[in-house]
């Protein structure tokens, strides 16, 4: 991967304890060897037994139903977010932004099921900056004031629109994605955290490129693409729209100098051959793992904390891939092909 | 055991039975023709059914495989959240046509919107698009398969019924009636001879007395 130039401006000494703790926690992350053993294991029970010896030990202790692994993995993530909250010296830290997408997931569920909120329980994720109960409260009372002002305003007007015209459920997803990413970029800029700004920009770019390819495959028109493309990336919306009519080679050549050029080149070449974006998605995730890997060289600052959260997210994602694979008796190679890179 | 009907040997009975036998023979011929048409239809349809079944199996197999891969990447919770409030406006119209009096359904399947329009693009993967597309396409094929299966069941039931009726006529009704006719004819001829003989005897006695 090409090195991403970014300068950490805040060598903040107040993070020294937190970073020290994170460095210790990082040694307990699951390594490639364990993933190999997990893939080779017979079933989810055996996987549970293997995980007992790791930092997941107390969750997967003897007798715990490893069949409900989604809940256990979420519990691990909840613990990770709690740990970060406990050691983060800044209560308005950039780490808060990372949990927000769970609140948005819950918001999507509750808004889609606003006619029958009781059914929403099984779809809610017990994670997020606010948590499912707070979000439910906001949706039932239509009062979004506990959220930051920008978000509250945007979501309130979305709900008003929703009640007026009852648009398709896709509209809710698209609008909430716009609101979330606009907010994330704005907050990262407000915090003046270059690490996070670049991360979100790259995320938006790669999401937009993937969206472009998906929209192309669905043979939808430019106006639809325009409505789903996220704003705030390095590549402007107009430029992305211009790629709709161009062959995919053009996309590769014009983004040849982007930091994620390799993702685009390999991902799109595979897509052209196999008509599958699986490799693109995996390479994109790997790109972010490499990107956050740079936080290893930062001794003081919030970046190692951000990096730890994202690494844990990636780790649980990988575990879920192996669990679902085992549960459905998928061939080993299918599971291996989908595993994301392991931060080490 | 004699197969014939238990009828008194009268000329009117014989005429009636002959008429009925003629009618049964005509009926049998018609049923034979119907059976042939039905057999041809069933054989033709069997081939289409086999093809359609294979297509449905293939596409569903692909769809479930793709679904597995999607749930591997996204997790079941996310997949269930995506499918929430999914409303796809399917239209299934069933009209009828008739083959030899058997009512056969024609299933017309149409969809107003694609299911792809139910989720956003952030946080969902391209394999989800593929899964949704495969499941949507399988619905059209499933409608065709349902049409063929129901048609075939109805045709096969009718064929069985026709076969049974034709067999009943051919092996039971017609032989029974033929035998009855033979018996009646024999009995009537015997009666005639007897009467003739009695007449002749009476005539002779009458001559001698005179």
């Amino acid at each position: 991967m090409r090195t991403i130039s970014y300068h950490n401006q805040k060598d903040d000494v107040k993070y020294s304890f937190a970073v020290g703790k994170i460095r210790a926690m990082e040694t307990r992350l699951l390594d490639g060897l364990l993933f190999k053993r997990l893939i080779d294991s017979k079933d989810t029970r055996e996987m549970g037994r293997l995980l007992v010896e790791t930092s997941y030990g107390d969750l997967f202790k003897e007798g715990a139903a490893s069949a409900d692994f989604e809940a256990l993995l979420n519990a691990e993530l909840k613990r990770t977010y709690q740990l970060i909250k406990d050691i983060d010296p800044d209560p308005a830290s950039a780490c808060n932004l990372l949990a927000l997408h769970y609140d948005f997931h819950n918001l999507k569920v509750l808004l889609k099921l606003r006619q029958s909120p009781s059914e929403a329980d099984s779809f809610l994720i017990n994670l997020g900056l606010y948590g499912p109960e707070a979000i439910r409260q906001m949706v039932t009372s239509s009062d979004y004031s506990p959220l930051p002002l920008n978000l509250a305003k945007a979501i309130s007007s979305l709900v008003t629109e929703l009640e007026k015209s009852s648009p398709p459920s896709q509209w809710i997803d698209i609008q909430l994605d716009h609101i979330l990413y606009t907010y994330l970029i704005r907050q990262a800029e407000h915090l003046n955290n270059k690490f996070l700004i670049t991360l979100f920009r790259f995320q938006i770019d790669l999401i937009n490129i993937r969206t472009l390819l998906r929209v192309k495959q669905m043979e939808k028109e430019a106006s639809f693409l325009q409505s789903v493309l996220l704003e705030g990336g390095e590549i402007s919306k107009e430029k992305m729209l211009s790629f709709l009519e161009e062959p995919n080679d053009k996309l590769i050549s014009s983004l040849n100098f982007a930091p994620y050029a390799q993702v685009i080149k390999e991902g799109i070449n595979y897509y052209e051959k196999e008509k599958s974006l699986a490799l693109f998605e995996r390479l994109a995730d790997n790109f972010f793992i490499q990107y956050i890997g740079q936080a290893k060289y930062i001794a003081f600052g919030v970046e190692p904390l951000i990096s730890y959260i994202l690494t844990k997210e990636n780790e649980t994602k990988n575990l879920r891939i192996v669990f679902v694979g085992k549960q459905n008796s998928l061939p080993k190679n299918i599971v291996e092909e989908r595993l994301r890179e392991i931060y080490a | 055991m004699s197969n014939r009907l238990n009828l008194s040997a009268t000329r009117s009975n014989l005429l009636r039975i002959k008429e009925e036998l003629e009618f049964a023979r005509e009926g049998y011929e018609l049923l034979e023709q119907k059976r042939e048409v039905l057999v041809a239809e069933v054989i033709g349809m069997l081939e289409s059914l086999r093809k359609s079944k294979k297509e449905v199996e293939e596409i569903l197999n692909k769809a479930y495989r793709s679904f597995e891969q999607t749930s591997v990447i996204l997790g079941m919770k996310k997949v269930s959240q995506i499918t929430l409030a999914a409303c796809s406006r399917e239209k299934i119209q069933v009209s009828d046509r008739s083959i030899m009096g058997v009512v056969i359904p024609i299933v017309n399947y149409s969809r107003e919107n694609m299911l792809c329009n139910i989720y956003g693009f952030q946080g969902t993967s391209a394999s989800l698009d593929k899964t949704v597309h495969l499941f949507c396409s399988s619905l059209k094929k499933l409608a065709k398969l349902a049409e063929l299966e129901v048609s075939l069941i109805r045709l096969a039931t009718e064929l069985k019924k026709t076969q049974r009726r034709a067999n009943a006529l051919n092996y039971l009704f017609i032989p029974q009636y033929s035998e009855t006719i033979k018996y009646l004819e024999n009995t009537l001829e015997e009666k005639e001879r007897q009467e003739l003989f009695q007449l002749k005897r009476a005539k002779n006695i009458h001559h001698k007395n005179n």
Side-chain angles (χ1 to χ4, degrees):
Chain A
M1 191 180 94
R2 200 168 293 141
T3 348
I4 301 154
S5 68
Y6 97 97
H7 307 283
N8 178 39
Q9 293 184 330
K10 289 194 292 179
D11 270 355
D12 210 335
V13 190
K14 67 180 175 185
Y15 275 98
S16 51
F17 168 73
V19 174
K21 173 108 181 163
I22 288 301
R23 295 288 176 243
M25 296 301 287
E26 275 172 359
T27 59
R28 301 173 66 193
L29 289 168
L30 306 185
D31 57 7
L33 200 69
L34 186 88
F35 271 102
K36 271 209 179 78
R37 284 173 67 198
L38 288 172
I39 294 170
D40 287 333
S41 60
K42 205 166 66 218
D43 51 18
T44 50
R45 285 177 77 91
E46 198 179 320
M47 278 182 70
R49 271 199 294 277
L50 283 172
L51 286 169
V52 170
E53 299 155 19
T54 65
S55 57
Y56 291 78
D58 49 339
L59 294 170
F60 284 88
K61 59 184 174 288
E62 278 315 312
S66 48
D68 194 17
F69 57 87
E70 293 250 11
L72 296 176
L73 296 180
N74 281 346
E76 175 66 13
L77 280 177
K78 200 177 167 70
R79 200 156 61 174
T80 306
Y81 279 106
Q82 190 57 46
L83 168 85
I84 297 293
K85 203 174 159 192
D86 292 343
I87 60 172
D88 195 339
D90 182 4
S93 140
C95 294
N96 291 343
L97 296 178
L98 299 177
L100 213 52
H101 70 101
Y102 291 111
D103 293 313
F104 271 71
H105 165 95
N106 291 336
L107 199 55
K108 281 177 189 171
V109 171
L110 288 161
L111 286 180
K112 282 180 186 175
L113 289 176
R114 62 194 180 286
Q115 313 293 4
S116 45
S118 57
E119 287 172 27
D121 281 351
S122 56
F123 304 108
L124 295 176
I125 295 180
N126 192 19
L127 282 166
L129 184 58
Y130 297 90
E133 271 322 302
I135 299 286
R136 190 204 296 271
Q137 195 62 36
M138 289 179 213
V139 173
T140 38
S141 62
S142 292
D143 172 19
Y144 299 93
S145 55
L147 295 174
L149 194 63
N150 288 341
L151 276 184
K153 256 193 200 164
I155 293 170
S156 294
S157 64
L158 172 112
V159 173
T160 322
E161 185 69 23
L162 199 61
E163 272 156 14
K164 243 196 289 174
S165 58
S166 61
S169 53
Q170 185 182 35
W171 185 83
I172 303 177
D173 279 5
I174 294 172
Q175 297 307 316
L176 283 175
D177 292 342
H178 280 305
I179 294 173
L180 174 65
Y181 275 88
T182 312
Y183 178 76
L184 289 179
I185 285 280
R186 195 177 294 168
Q187 277 310 102
E189 279 168 356
H190 174 72
L191 293 165
N192 198 20
N193 186 317
K194 290 218 167 111
F195 181 77
L196 213 50
I197 297 172
T198 319
L199 177 74
F200 289 148
R201 289 231 162 101
F202 288 165
Q203 267 184 0
I204 292 174
D205 282 345
L206 287 172
I207 291 172
N208 278 347
I209 292 167
R210 192 181 59 176
T211 305
L212 169 78
L213 294 169
R214 288 166 74 183
V215 169
K216 252 187 178 179
Q217 199 169 32
M218 288 177 190
E219 293 170 355
K220 296 248 185 186
E221 65 280 13
S223 59
F224 177 77
L225 179 64
Q226 185 161 23
S227 70
V228 290
L229 285 177
L230 297 171
E231 262 173 274
E234 301 269 329
I235 314 166
S236 70
K237 236 177 157 177
E238 288 68 37
K239 199 169 174 195
M240 290 298 298
L241 277 167
S242 71
F243 288 132
L244 186 64
E245 302 299 327
E246 305 278 357
N248 289 337
D249 292 347
K250 184 85 196 296
L251 189 66
I252 301 176
S253 58
S254 16
L255 298 175
N256 208 13
F257 297 104
Y260 39 73
Q262 203 59 27
V263 177
I264 296 183
K265 198 176 161 198
E266 284 181 35
I268 292 183
N269 282 339
Y270 181 80
Y271 169 74
E272 292 285 338
K273 253 192 278 164
E274 307 285 329
K275 286 282 157 239
S276 155
L277 279 170
L279 184 71
F280 180 92
E281 286 165 356
R282 189 159 60 96
L283 291 176
D285 281 355
N286 289 350
F287 169 78
F288 289 115
I289 288 298
Q290 285 172 22
Y291 175 78
I292 59 175
Q294 294 180 102
K296 266 192 260 184
Y297 309 109
I298 298 166
F300 304 107
V302 71
E303 289 78 9
L305 276 64
I306 295 172
S307 161
Y308 182 72
I309 293 178
L310 294 175
T311 308
K312 271 305 233 192
E313 293 263 10
N314 186 56
E315 186 179 271
T316 47
K317 191 175 193 172
N318 274 342
L319 277 177
R320 194 180 55 222
I321 291 175
V322 185
F323 265 115
V324 178
K326 273 286 141 290
Q327 215 172 30
N328 294 302
S329 317
L330 291 186
K332 230 162 79 174
N333 62 326
I334 294 220
V335 177
E336 274 168 344
E337 268 170 27
R338 275 153 187 79
L339 277 194
R340 271 54 180 163
E341 202 166 280
I342 291 155
Y343 175 88
Chain B
M1 199 184 90
S2 167
N3 252 341
R4 69 182 161 78
L5 297 169
N6 192 14
L7 281 176
S8 53
T10 60
R11 198 154 287 278
S12 67
N13 270 349
L14 178 67
L15 283 173
R16 188 169 60 81
I17 291 283
K18 269 188 173 169
E19 254 173 47
E20 278 179 19
L21 179 66
E22 192 55 33
F23 185 65
R25 283 203 170 116
E26 266 175 39
Y28 172 68
E29 262 166 45
L30 278 174
L31 283 176
E32 257 310 279
Q33 278 171 16
K34 183 179 176 178
R35 199 181 63 89
E36 273 165 27
V37 175
L38 285 177
V39 166
E41 282 287 336
V42 165
I43 289 173
M45 219 170 255
L46 259 178
E47 196 44 50
S48 327
L49 181 78
R50 211 169 285 148
K51 219 170 119 192
S52 170
K53 231 178 191 165
K54 206 175 159 199
E55 274 177 15
V56 167
E57 266 169 22
E58 265 169 26
I59 197 161
L60 281 181
N61 202 4
K62 268 192 209 160
Y64 277 103
R65 217 109 332 277
S66 174
F67 177 69
E68 268 176 3
Q69 291 177 12
T70 309
S71 51
V72 164
I73 301 292
L74 297 177
M76 277 317 289
K77 214 148 198 169
K78 184 94 193 173
V79 176
S80 340
Q81 179 262 317
I82 290 162
T83 49
L84 280 182
C87 70
S88 158
R89 296 209 178 89
E90 256 90 26
K91 245 194 193 164
I92 295 177
Q93 278 177 325
V94 184
S95 46
D96 297 330
R97 73 185 171 114
S98 163
I99 299 175
M100 301 301 292
V102 188
V103 182
I104 299 289
I106 302 173
V107 183
N108 266 321
Y109 170 85
S110 56
R111 189 189 308 120
E112 275 177 29
N113 60 340
M114 274 302 278
L115 260 170
C116 303
N117 294 341
I118 59 164
Y119 52 83
F121 286 81
Q122 194 276 320
T124 58
S125 76
S127 70
L128 178 72
D129 301 346
K130 194 178 157 194
T131 310
V132 168
H133 178 75
L134 283 170
F135 274 114
C136 282
S137 331
S138 72
L139 286 178
K140 195 168 183 179
K141 291 193 192 303
L142 274 172
K144 184 77 199 156
L145 178 66
E147 176 188 307
L148 284 170
E149 263 191 2
V150 172
S151 304
L152 201 66
I153 289 171
R154 286 192 188 164
L155 281 178
T157 318
E158 188 64 24
L159 179 63
K160 205 172 160 190
K161 237 193 247 173
T162 313
Q163 181 86 46
R164 194 176 291 169
R165 278 185 192 152
N167 282 348
L169 282 179
N170 195 23
Y171 297 112
L172 210 75
F173 200 86
I174 294 175
Q176 200 175 35
Y177 271 54
S178 306
E179 206 170 302
T180 312
I181 287 172
K182 216 177 185 179
Y183 164 75
L184 286 182
E185 276 174 349
N186 285 343
T187 321
L188 285 174
E189 272 172 23
E190 186 61 37
K191 257 188 185 170
E192 254 172 48
R193 274 196 294 275
Q194 205 174 350
E195 271 169 25
L196 194 70
F197 181 73
Q198 278 172 351
L199 221 59
K200 275 189 176 170
R201 285 272 308 221
K203 216 175 164 183
N204 281 345
I205 294 166
H206 189 68
H207 260 296
K208 274 180 191 170
N209 288 347
N210 281 343

